[in-house]
Amino acid sequence: GVSQQGSRYVFTPPATPGSYALTYATTNGACFGSAQRRFTVLPTPTPAATLTNAVCPALPSVNGIAPYQAQFQNSSLNAVQFSWDFGDGTTSSEQNPTHLYQQPGTYAVRLTAANSLGCPVSSLVSTVTVVQALVPNIITPNGDGLNDTFQQRFSCLPTELSVYSRWGQRVFYRADYHNDWDAK
């Protein structure tokens, strides 16, 4: 639509993306003039991405163990420029970045996507939880919910666990260990 603001006329393009023509016309007595201008309304960018290695199978409540290499897959629409904020003070402009989290913590990852005109839209992509590596040297299977089982935090991959007595006798073995040995 066209609106008048003082001695100026302001054209507001439609919100629907597409190509449009605007014709300017003026009359001054017997003189007439016109010009046409084509313009394109670009779609608004929609930032979207996923953390592709989002779950640590051995520790489902976390994403990884420090140092943790996070991998992101960008699925943004109508965007050609990207700016990532990994929540730990570092950034990237790659489309599908990887990022190394050196320290344990919980990090909010944001992606800003922009179209070819540079119009940015920002969105929270993921929350990444990284824990410190730990090999426990004691368990206390007393039913209090704390250290009741041997819970390794040194690998997200499936682990094999063998437990030996002080005399070298194997007392427990599991090829695919699930953090559930309670010394029984």
Side-chain angles (χ1 to χ4, degrees):
V2 177
S3 62
Q4 187 172 2
Q5 294 180 354
S7 62
R8 295 179 358 159
Y9 289 90
V10 176
F11 173 72
T12 303
T16 306
S19 182
Y20 299 93
L22 175 64
T23 303
Y24 303 90
T26 184
T27 304
N28 186 359
C31 296
F32 174 80
S34 71
Q36 189 175 66
R37 178 102 189 225
R38 287 203 75 64
F39 63 94
T40 302
V41 175
L42 294 177
T44 302
T46 306
T50 55
L51 176 62
T52 58
N53 55 341
V55 177
C56 177
L59 304 164
S61 63
V62 302
N63 299 106
I65 299 168
Y68 168 62
Q69 182 81 24
Q71 301 168 347
F72 297 93
Q73 179 65 45
N74 191 333
S75 57
S76 298
L77 299 175
N78 309 314
V80 295
Q81 299 168 356
F82 307 98
S83 177
W84 294 82
D85 179 346
F86 297 112
D88 63 353
T90 59
T91 61
S92 172
S93 59
E94 294 179 50
Q95 184 171 351
N96 297 301
T98 59
H99 180 68
L100 184 63
Y101 288 95
Q102 294 281 3
Q103 301 299 318
T106 300
Y107 305 96
V109 180
R110 296 192 71 79
L111 169 62
T112 300
N115 60 21
S116 60
L117 294 176
C119 299
V121 176
S122 185
S123 179
L124 178 66
V125 169
S126 178
T127 299
V128 175
T129 302
V130 179
V131 296
Q132 183 67 43
L134 171 70
V135 179
N137 61 359
I138 190 170
I139 64 171
T140 56
N142 59 5
D144 67 356
L146 302 171
N147 301 318
D148 286 331
T149 62
F150 176 79
Q151 295 193 12
Q152 65 85 14
R153 282 199 335 216
F154 53 82
S155 175
C156 283
L157 300 174
T159 57
E160 179 179 341
L161 179 66
S162 292
V163 179
Y164 293 87
S165 71
R166 71 174 74 178
W167 301 282
Q169 231 180 357
R170 184 160 71 178
V171 295
F172 178 81
Y173 171 78
R174 180 146 320 128
D176 185 16
Y177 182 62
H178 296 280
N179 290 335
D180 55 358
W181 183 67
D182 62 3
K184 287 184 180 171

